[in-house]
Amino acid sequence: MKPQRLVMFVVVTATICAVITAVSGQKFKATPEVTEKLKEAYALLEQGQPERALAVALPIYRKDPEIWVAWWPKWVFRVVKELPPDPYAKSEIMHRGIEGGQPLLLIARKTTNARRIVAYALFDLGRYQEALPIFEEMQRRIANAPAIGPDMAGRCRQLIAQGYRPPQPPPKNTWRPLPLKFREEDYFILVPLDQACKILGLSCTITTNPKMAGGKGIRIVKPDVPNIVYRLFLGRPLVERLENGKGQTETLAYAPYEEDGVVWVPFYWLAKQAGIKGWEVRDGKIYVAPKQGTK
Amino acid sequence: MLAKVKDMFVMNFRAGYYDPINDRWVEAVIPNDAIESQDGFPGQGMPLLWLLNANEGSGYPLRVVNFLCGYAHRRDVYAAVIVPGDIEGFRDANNDGQPDDVNGDGVIDDNDLVVDVDAYGFTYGPIWDNAGRPIDPPGDWGYIPQFWGPPVIEIDVGYIRSDQQDQRRNLGGLTELQALTWIVGHELGHTVLWHQPAYGHHAGNTTFDCLIWQWMDWRANPPTEFCAINPGCQTRWKVNP
């Protein structure tokens, strides 16, 4: 092929590819690599590790703040009878969720973007001055939409004016490893419930109960607050908090599941109930900050 | 069903219910109290809501309701449908009432969605069109391609609950019911204020007393009705013109 023809071929091919991409693709759909990074940052933020979440999301935010991702958490595939649709196909998800008898799809899909993760990570770290312009930008984007959102920009201004600094966990050289096995799924750290409860000083019971989602009744009690009972459900990303017989539903960032008789639960939630203020995975172990008043 | 001219019909899709076949309670995602509780909407400046059971029957959930007023069939109306969801949305940068064609392909569809809407609730369309009729039923489900159509309200329950439990954000110590009624009330407002600028967002001075003020700041004493003055949002409803 002559050089001129080769150049023409390349130009025409590239133009066609660009047109096809623009017409059929989602402008902001992420690559698999970016998708994994944002999933990881999302999980870190949800598990109370904003510093690491920021480190993962910031390069993506700086490169393309519009990028967003959608995915089905792995636990969803354990509980649905047929494969869920493309996580970006919103119409199909709503159709199957509302009319197709698969309402779980409506609440199970996860989405996020780099801008949101960076803003909330900065907020959780107490860097309100840096978070403020990002929240202002986010709020500008829904100012004219038929929607209601949190006034995070207003909250930042309030905290800046107060000079507020969030409490810091103890220095990491005081953190100790837990003798607890764990596994990672969708970047969430999951631990065997019965073992974790023993180590963290929580009381838990797991009983067979066909009336509960997943066929198991799971109850957790903090020994120092015996009038509050937490109920977990296999395959449901929520917790029911019963206080003196009155219930309230709370959110769980990852649904528990059972495998070979072991119930796996997100560690961050158990750590929160146990009063642990900081934790991280290092060298294949879970390290936790000492509780206040302990060495 | 006997209803007054400014009453509204609402379906809570995915309310909790008893499943007699499997003899179990299926947990609620959005509690009915968030729609019908007098604790949630004690004020006068809120339409009276008739809660319909979205689990009755089958088929298209945007059911036409036989609206009786004074024992006579007045007209057919649609019920707003409240569904749990994970919200993304379209852009309407120029506020022309039409979603933006983000990828420039001439078609508004799933590919134009963006997820930079940091929202607790989002409304897809009005109860009435501009002529005061019920909206035309889409031939297909068609939420997204026929956006700005069905009066569907998406509520991100997980996000709301997460913030409600976070003491750094829930400064007023609002209960889940207070938070949900605030958001549900706001979005129901969009279905009847759609014809107003910014879909009816309150633009006056008494912002924090009005459900249709556009931000939620987790303060104590949340709004439970629409304002009567400045600019008087409850007088701007198009509930049943």
Side-chain angles (χ1 to χ4, degrees), chain B residues 141-165:
Chain B
W141 179 248
Y143 270 128
I144 304 302
Q146 299 189 45
F147 189 65
W148 276 210
V152 169
I153 292 167
E154 206 172 15
I155 303 289
D156 194 336
V157 187
Y159 186 16
I160 296 162
R161 282 185 176 143
S162 176
D163 280 2
Q164 191 263 332
Q165 293 153 29

Side-chain angles (χ1 to χ4, degrees), chain B residues 73-181:
Chain B
H73 172 256
R74 185 173 179 90
R75 66 192 310 162
D76 290 341
V77 298
Y78 281 109
V81 181
I82 296 178
V83 301
D86 182 35
I87 298 167
E88 70 259 52
F90 292 99
R91 287 200 182 133
D92 182 13
N94 56 2
N95 196 26
D96 65 352
Q98 293 299 317
D100 297 343
D101 182 11
V102 172
N103 68 353
D105 65 355
V107 181
I108 306 297
D109 58 16
D110 283 12
N111 293 331
D112 296 300
L113 288 167
V114 292
V115 76
D116 51 9
V117 282
D118 190 36
Y120 293 134
F122 193 91
T123 299
Y124 283 77
I127 286 248
W128 306 99
D129 70 6
N130 284 333
R133 296 182 301 259
I135 50 143
D136 290 332
D140 194 354
W141 179 248
Y143 270 128
I144 304 302
Q146 299 189 45
F147 189 65
W148 276 210
V152 169
I153 292 167
E154 206 172 15
I155 303 289
D156 194 336
V157 187
Y159 186 16
I160 296 162
R161 282 185 176 143
S162 176
D163 280 2
Q164 191 263 332
Q165 293 153 29
D166 188 336
Q167 293 175 351
R168 294 168 306 174
R169 296 182 194 162
N170 186 5
L171 298 177
L174 299 194
T175 64
E176 181 182 294
L177 179 62
Q178 284 176 308
L180 282 172
T181 49

Side-chain angles (χ1 to χ4, degrees), chain B:
Chain B
M1 186 175 291
L2 291 169
K4 295 178 182 173
V5 172
K6 288 215 166 184
D7 292 359
M8 277 186 78
F9 301 92
V10 184
M11 287 181 190
N12 184 16
F13 188 81
R14 201 55 182 140
Y17 65 96
Y18 179 66
D19 170 7
I21 296 170
N22 296 304
D23 185 29
R24 69 168 70 184
W25 282 96
V26 178
E27 66 270 28
V29 177
I30 299 169
N32 284 339
D33 279 355
I35 299 164
E36 64 175 0
S37 169
Q38 287 304 304
D39 295 336
F41 301 121
Q44 296 297 310
M46 179 75 196
L48 179 64
L49 305 178
W50 294 77
L51 186 66
L52 305 180
N53 184 359
N55 289 311
E56 281 177 1
S58 60
Y60 201 70
L62 296 174
R63 293 178 182 86
V64 173
V65 176
N66 182 1
F67 190 152
L68 290 176
C69 185
Y71 296 97
H73 172 256
R74 185 173 179 90
R75 66 192 310 162
D76 290 341
V77 298
Y78 281 109
V81 181
I82 296 178
V83 301
D86 182 35
I87 298 167
E88 70 259 52
F90 292 99
R91 287 200 182 133
D92 182 13
N94 56 2
N95 196 26
D96 65 352
Q98 293 299 317
D100 297 343
D101 182 11
V102 172
N103 68 353
D105 65 355
V107 181
I108 306 297
D109 58 16
D110 283 12
N111 293 331
D112 296 300
L113 288 167
V114 292
V115 76
D116 51 9
V117 282
D118 190 36
Y120 293 134
F122 193 91
T123 299
Y124 283 77
I127 286 248
W128 306 99
D129 70 6
N130 284 333
R133 296 182 301 259
I135 50 143
D136 290 332
D140 194 354
W141 179 248
Y143 270 128
I144 304 302
Q146 299 189 45
F147 189 65
W148 276 210
V152 169
I153 292 167
E154 206 172 15
I155 303 289
D156 194 336
V157 187
Y159 186 16
I160 296 162
R161 282 185 176 143
S162 176
D163 280 2
Q164 191 263 332
Q165 293 153 29
D166 188 336
Q167 293 175 351
R168 294 168 306 174
R169 296 182 194 162
N170 186 5
L171 298 177
L174 299 194
T175 64
E176 181 182 294
L177 179 62
Q178 284 176 308
L180 282 172
T181 49
W182 186 342
I183 292 153
V184 167
H186 178 97
E187 298 306 329
L188 287 172
H190 280 308
T191 70
V192 294
L193 285 159
W194 195 268
H195 54 292
Q196 298 285 354
Y199 309 101
H201 273 153
H202 176 109
N205 294 324
T206 58
T207 49
F208 288 115
D209 298 327
C210 187
L211 270 173
I212 201 70
W213 171 241
Q214 70 185 111
W215 305 118
M216 182 170 174
D217 70 347
W218 293 97
R219 70 203 178 91
N221 303 316
T224 56
E225 63 179 7
F226 296 89
C227 70
I229 52 170
N230 294 328
C233 295
Q234 61 184 264
T235 65
R236 304 191 304 163
W237 295 336
K238 187 184 279 189
V239 180
N240 189 6

